[in-house]
């Protein structure tokens, strides 16, 4: 049960409905997922987060599937159940295979492990890795 | 200052030197970074972690640059300074541009934000996102 | 299902019952929530954590509602389901509105995002921000 | 050393300079901190994050000092050194006393502790805490 | 519902069945838990993670029960529900009492608290704590 | 540089000096580390945290070295530099060897890895692991 009552399309104020419609048009779907129905309870947040997501997740120097996999990597590290489900579904819709998911999660696991080995041993950064902007 | 005294190649026991040599051969470099010099203080860990990294980071269903970017996404989320530096350098050596780094970090930032909106509002997972394995 | 069997008031030893009674008196309620019933399985922890909570959450230089909102900010960042529910309920009982909750979660989300931008780019701290205690 | 070379005001392109000028005007200061000079290397991120921060941190149902303290609570939980310094300085500029900082950090510490007690014991959420939106 | 369809022993390929059999023989049990049935969908990960776990969790300079308690401490800090349940069960099977669990969680809670006090106040490391390897 | 000016023994008020003296007596040392000198800026927090630490870290069902190693496991997972240094030094003073540290960090690393595999695949908890308190 969400902390607030979700807003459905039929009951939405015009400013909310405009965002819902843009989400469906951008994604070429005919439904809006719960994340947006919850944010709709605070329209400035709905508008702001959607504008952010639309800009950040658009094709650019990285392709959209790579962006979805990066999103999954963060969500798995933080253990956000909602986000793991929604972005794994999104990545699959963009073509991610079970094998790619397996490799993605293997990297996420390994990185979480070596992060702690580096932390625990307080390993000093090699000078070769430090950018030189002079 | 690391928690333990790092092992240099010249002073390494044969089992350690074998791993160091494999690292340099695999990466086509002539030096070994501090991470491995620290793990070399416990040879079973050095061998184990290197075998893991070699297997997980090899080309597969995901290309090595994508794997490095996933590694960065995790390391940034956890704020592991050593890992951020070493894997950003590795990604750049594999061709990552400043623009790709900017897009990668934008996704990492956004995912960390929306993870908390989903957490805080306790948003229920849409049934459409749940895999059906029947 | 909790890891241990919760202790109910009627079955509680005197040292546990004394804490339960103080919780209800302090909060002006007639029930004790599961958190304390679980801690009651180890009375020294029950006593210690209650004494801490009572001292830390009391009115002081910050008012109790602000303290509850800080508690929520931490719990959302860590994704502690129990704590998010219990402290959101507590904040609402102290007067937090839906609009305040929306603004709170917006700040929590943004902070989690910019934390990672600062981490990922390894942004150096401006000297103007460093306290000078000479 | 940041991952990218920071952009100074004098060398900034007009779109960057416009954001820098708005930051200084909004904050009534005559300098721009490193966070923005780094983001300026990717102007769409600079513009986007500044627009977000300006909207989210503006006075609203919560006052700006409370918002800064929530920001600190998140940054301390995540251990983002840059963010802890910049937002503690910002909160002090808005009037936060040493005593308020001490109480804030005491709540942050306690919440991080009880989050783990709730996690570790897998404490079930009391039905009284679950919102009822029927 | 897991992200992938779990592999049961009867339907497993020989390379998977070999790992399942080694897990049961090593643990002296007649069943395999879900963690391995899920990893079995990617046999190289199944083999790799099992080899890691077998090596790392074996008796050594630390006894197996201490290792299980360290595992719980990490899993509670990260709030991994599956891992908390599986490793608490494993620790109990190795003799952990309710009192030991209570003391373990008390330390985990306190450490999470003082970690944030140290972070928030940016406490400088005492020179006496820094190892000297000259 | 800490956020506040540390309090030295010679300049401490009686209530602070009493805690400092108890710390030194309990630990059989002749100095107080920075953590306590910083907390001394808010005497109620100094007293409260010291009382907690003294109670939680005392010998009990777990021995003090095991408690220190659990403390390290949490601090490494959270990447608290101060705490990693102070508790690794404390564990060494209680007899922890380099080999034990290596095994401890190996478990911490592995747990952080498998936590994410369990998260990412949303592995359902086996009924055998759930405590039955009926």
């Amino acid at each position: 049960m969400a902390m607030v009552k979700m807003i459905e399309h039929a009951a939405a104020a015009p400013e909310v409905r405009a965002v819902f419609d843009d989400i469906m048009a951008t994604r070429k779907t005919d439904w809006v997922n719960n994340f947006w129905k919850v944010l709709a309870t605070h329209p400035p947040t709905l508008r702001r987060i959607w504008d952010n997501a639309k800009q950040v997740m658009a094709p650019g120097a990285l392709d959209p599937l790579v962006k979805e996999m990066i999103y999954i990597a963060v969500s798995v590290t933080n253990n956000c159940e909602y986000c793991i489900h929604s972005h794994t579904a999104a990545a699959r819709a963009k073509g991610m295979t079970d094998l790619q998911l397996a490799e993605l999660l293997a990297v996420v696991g390994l990185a979480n492990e070596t992060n702690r080995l580096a932390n625990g041993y307080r390993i000093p950064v090699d000078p070769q890795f430090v950018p030189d902007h002079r």
Side-chain angles (χ1 to χ4, degrees), chain A:
Chain A
M1 185 67 77
M3 282 293 174
V4 293
K5 189 172 177 352
M6 294 192 282
I7 308 285
E8 300 295 330
H9 190 279
E15 65 189 309
V16 166
R17 198 174 291 193
V19 177
F20 282 5
D21 289 342
D22 191 33
I23 290 171
M24 290 187 286
T26 303
R27 296 181 166 177
K28 305 188 201 318
T29 60
D30 61 356
W31 64 290
V32 169
N33 55 304
N34 290 342
F35 184 74
W36 306 108
K37 292 181 190 172
V38 163
L39 295 194
T41 59
H42 189 238
T45 295
L46 174 70
R47 165 56 66 193
R48 182 174 59 82
I49 297 294
W50 169 243
D51 285 350
N52 274 267
K54 198 175 171 182
Q55 177 181 326
V56 170
M57 300 304 283
L62 300 179
D63 80 61
L65 177 53
V66 169
K67 289 184 174 183
E68 288 293 352
M69 291 193 292
I70 292 165
Y71 223 111
I72 294 170
V74 170
S75 304
V76 167
T77 297
N78 288 330
N79 197 15
C80 175
E81 181 181 10
Y82 187 85
C83 314
I84 294 170
H85 273 297
S86 58
H87 287 278
T88 300
R92 281 178 161 152
K94 289 186 171 72
M96 183 177 70
T97 63
D98 274 4
L99 183 57
Q100 287 176 318
L101 176 63
E103 293 193 9
L104 162 58
L105 294 179
V107 176
V108 169
L110 182 67
N112 272 289
E113 179 175 44
T114 60
N115 280 194
R116 272 58 183 211
L117 293 172
N119 292 349
Y121 280 115
R122 313 304 313 155
I123 303 178
V125 178
D126 304 76
Q128 293 93 327
F129 291 149
V130 180
D132 179 356
H133 307 303
R134 283 171 307 181

